[in-house]
Amino acid sequence: MKLTEAKQQFISSWGAFGTHWGINRTMAQIHALLLISPDPLTQDDIMEELNISRGNTNMNIRELINWGLVERVLLSGERKEYFTAEKDIWKVVKQIVKERKKRELEPMLQLLDKLEEVEGDKRDKHVKTFVDTVSGIKKLGKQADKTLDVMIRAEETWFVGNLLKMFK
Amino acid sequence: MKLTEAKQQFISSWGAFGTHWGINRTMAQIHALLLISPDPLTQDDIMEELNISRGNTNMNIRELINWGLVERVLLSGERKEYFTAEKDIWKVVKQIVKERKKRELEPMLQLLDKLEEVEGDKRDKHVKTFVDTVSGIKKLGKQADKTLDVMIRAEETWFVGNLLKMFK
DNA sequence: CCGAATTTTCAAAATTTATTGAAAGTATAT
DNA sequence: ATATACTTTCAATAAATTTTGAAAATTCGG
């Protein structure tokens, strides 16, 4: 397979993959393109490579910057902004985990805390099932939260080594 | 907070949560409703509770069954089908992990295997960056794959205990 | 086998989400 | 200060996804 074709496949399937994870296609594709680009790219490079409009490109680059996955780079003597993606995949994964934990897991846990305190007689099976379900989710969610905290601080070598050993 | 209100909040935020994870709102809401229902429900119960159409209800129940999260239940002497959700959250999580691994991670790893074999001179930095990126993702993906395999087989008590100890 | 109850399908409609592109905004060099 | 290069915004449009509901198919008791 030629590089050009391989690149296209990578970008397109990274985009499709993203849509299963609540990330929009374009954002994932821009990320993919930057991941495999040895040098920083301009907005125009990205627009041209992916055939997308200026506005769309701009919005999604900014979103990637918000997620901490892409950085602005200023090349000396150049007026244009360049963009580059973190290439260390372990760092990328940790960053995504960190953001999603903050955006999704933590608010969910807060809600569950409130819902667990529902009024009513526990002998009513509707109340009991509700409280048990909420508690069960909360318990697992809190464990996940702690585990992810440590993971975010971990080094890849340490993480992979230990995790595998543990699971033998 | 009253049970009725708590239920509604739970269902609606479970639905919103689902949409961040590539699951459609209705599917997640039906799942939420069944999770907190002590007894199995019919399609009509679900339609009424969530105010959704028959077709929509039917489609999403079947999808939940495909995911292994909901089961058909036949009550003796009843013609209608009843549905119930697995209540053990750890089992639910394992089931979701299992399915997503099969549907998403495994195909991605297969693709990466192919893409890693791209033709071209490694001294070309475009080729090098591409191959390095693909290899990096593949390596981490394969580790995740193995780790999830063990997790899928693990018991919650064992899992939570060990994981926490390990991360201290 | 018939007919009523129930489930499933699927084309059309509604809704949600993503994309465009032109206009407005900003920064920089001279 | 002005012109120019570049970035951002956002209302309109397009595309993708979800939902509906009526018709078709299936199931099951008698």
Side-chain angles (χ1 to χ4, degrees), chain A residues 75-154:
Chain A
L75 295 191
S76 58
E78 287 268 14
R79 186 133 160 205
K80 272 187 188 161
E81 290 180 332
Y82 283 74
F83 301 95
T84 189
E86 169 60 55
K87 296 289 198 299
D88 179 335
I89 297 300
W90 176 243
K91 283 192 191 159
V92 172
V93 169
K94 286 198 294 186
Q95 185 61 33
I96 293 171
V97 166
K98 191 172 161 185
E99 287 293 327
R100 299 198 73 162
K101 184 169 114 57
K102 186 173 77 194
R103 294 170 191 220
E104 296 160 31
L105 184 56
E106 284 165 14
M108 171 57 74
L109 289 176
Q110 284 200 321
L111 176 70
L112 293 175
D113 273 335
K114 271 197 311 186
L115 296 183
E116 207 179 16
E117 285 160 24
V118 67
E119 299 163 25
D121 187 343
K122 283 270 183 72
R123 283 165 304 182
D124 173 347
K125 68 181 174 182
H126 289 89
V127 174
K128 182 164 178 7
T129 307
F130 183 82
V131 173
D132 287 351
T133 301
V134 168
S135 304
I137 296 174
K138 210 182 85 174
K139 188 180 140 211
L140 207 58
K142 289 228 151 90
Q143 298 292 6
D145 193 61
K146 285 188 210 160
T147 304
L148 294 176
D149 270 341
V150 187
M151 171 184 162
I152 287 165
R153 281 183 252 114

Side-chain angles (χ1 to χ4, degrees), chain B residues 62-73:
Chain B
R62 269 182 306 117
E63 195 60 12
L64 283 163
I65 293 174
N66 284 343
W67 275 79
L69 298 173
V70 164
E71 283 198 331
R72 249 173 253 274
V73 177

Side-chain angles (χ1 to χ4, degrees), chain A residues 11 28-37 41 45-46 49-50:
Chain A
I11 290 168
Q29 289 188 349
I30 294 176
H31 187 223
L33 174 63
L34 289 172
L35 275 178
I36 59 178
S37 297
L41 301 180
D45 293 335
I46 295 170
E49 194 87 32
L50 303 178

Side-chain angles (χ1 to χ4, degrees), chain B residues 3 55 66 78 98 148-149 153 165:
Chain B
L3 181 61
N66 284 343
E78 286 269 15
K98 191 172 159 185
L148 295 176
D149 270 341
R153 280 183 252 113
K165 214 175 295 166

